[in-house]
Amino acid sequence: MALPLRLGVNIDHVATVRNARGGVVPDPVRAALLAASAGADGITAHLREDRRHITDADIARLVGQLAALDRAIPLNLEMAATEEMLGIALRHRPHAACIVPEKREERTTEGGLDVAGQHDVLAPMVRALREAGVRVSLFIEPSPEQIAAAVSLGAPVVELHTGRYADTEGEARAGELRRLSDAAALAAKNGIEVHAGHGLTFDNVQPIAAIPQVVELNIGHFLVGEAIFVGLYESVRRMKAEMAAAR
Ligand code: PXP
């Protein structure tokens, strides 16, 4: 029996639309509450260094309002490995923090974190977050080297980057799916909880949802885009149904 599979809804791009006009609507916190009512198991938000979508004030409101729900749902803060972000995470103590690579000029998170190459920067950060009771996850490429590095850092969770899987087709996609599956099995064998995300849609989510060791998917851009046509409630509800059908 596969473990239950959670959906973390990433609300960054609701803030992208809001910021296009610099006002207060659409409100990403309202989107988070609606996603929760549609079955989201968690909310994910990436506070980027340039604050291009989610802002510090959004994070403060999310922390307060998600905790106040009848069915409180966890916040997963995506953050770069910087002192500034560490300070913010330690102040708010979200349920989880996912450390991601971040480049100012990128459009979205391109590629995974080089855990192997950044051990000395990441080790004190992982330790500080763990000591504060924050569940640390590392966003990595599905490779044995990165899993081994995550093990040596004592990270309790890894999130496998599904971007290449989502961007390829045919044989290339099948090969990428095998890499994801093997990485998930290797991480779980080493006692690490496995999440996955990036570029997932109704059409490509099921093979990832079927990987038995994966217990959480974080999905944003597609769900917010689909919400334009069917509404956010329906977009989240259907994604949960697609995931459940694959399990
Ligand atoms: N997981 C991580 C670590 C991410 O950085 C992102 C993008 O912000 C996602 C999941 C969601 O990706 P997408 O918006 O393509 O669904």
Side-chain angles (χ1 to χ4, degrees):
M1 251 297 266
L3 298 162
L5 180 61
R6 303 187 295 266
L7 170 62
V9 174
N10 181 316
I11 46 140
D12 292 350
H13 296 301
V14 178
T16 303
V17 176
R18 174 194 61 191
N19 297 358
R21 283 292 171 93
V24 294
V25 292
D27 178 10
V29 179
R30 181 178 172 198
L33 300 179
L34 184 60
S37 74
D41 302 287
I43 296 297
T44 294
H46 185 176
L47 184 67
R48 292 187 78 103
E49 195 189 359
D50 62 9
R51 310 302 198 267
R52 70 174 73 154
H53 36 58
I54 293 295
T55 64
D56 301 68
D58 293 331
I59 295 295
R61 289 169 59 234
L62 279 168
V63 168
Q65 295 197 35
L66 293 179
L69 287 174
D70 287 344
R71 179 179 72 97
I73 67 167
L75 175 66
N76 172 33
L77 174 69
E78 290 179 2
M79 54 177 266
T82 65
E83 284 303 319
E84 183 200 15
M85 288 302 152
L86 178 63
I88 291 169
L90 293 177
R91 202 159 60 245
H92 288 298
R93 298 183 186 220
H95 167 78
C98 180
I99 305 182
V100 302
E102 200 178 295
K103 296 190 219 86
R104 235 169 220 283
E105 62 281 8
E106 71 190 355
R107 249 185 289 172
T108 180
T109 313
E110 291 163 4
L113 195 64
D114 180 14
V115 184
Q118 276 193 284
H119 183 280
D120 294 349
V121 177
L122 294 172
M125 217 162 259
V126 170
R127 197 175 322 116
L129 288 165
R130 290 193 71 170
E131 282 171 8
V134 178
R135 203 156 163 76
V136 185
S137 144
L138 303 174
F139 188 45
I140 58 170
E141 291 296 327
S143 80
E145 297 72 35
Q146 296 299 341
I147 305 272
V151 172
S152 83
L153 269 180
V157 183
V158 291
E159 181 166 330
L160 301 177
H161 198 312
T162 52
R164 194 168 304 148
Y165 160 82
D167 287 342
T168 49
E169 289 176 358
E171 259 314 296
R173 176 175 283 193
E176 204 47 37
L177 184 59
R178 273 194 302 276
R179 277 199 342 131
L180 286 157
S181 239
D182 292 348
L186 180 63
K189 203 171 99 191
N190 282 282
I192 296 186
E193 182 174 309
V194 187
H195 301 176
H198 212 280
L200 297 177
T201 68
F202 294 153
D203 289 340
N204 67 21
V205 74
Q206 290 204 332
I208 302 296
I211 299 174
Q213 298 86 1
V214 173
V215 297
E216 180 174 308
L217 299 181
N218 285 299
I219 308 180
H221 182 264
F222 174 80
L223 289 175
V224 172
E226 187 66 11
I228 294 169
F229 305 103
V230 301
L232 186 61
Y233 187 96
E234 176 55 19
S235 163
V236 170
R237 190 208 59 76
R238 176 157 169 213
M239 187 59 85
K240 280 274 299 199
E242 298 285 342
M243 287 163 53
R247 210 66 178 169

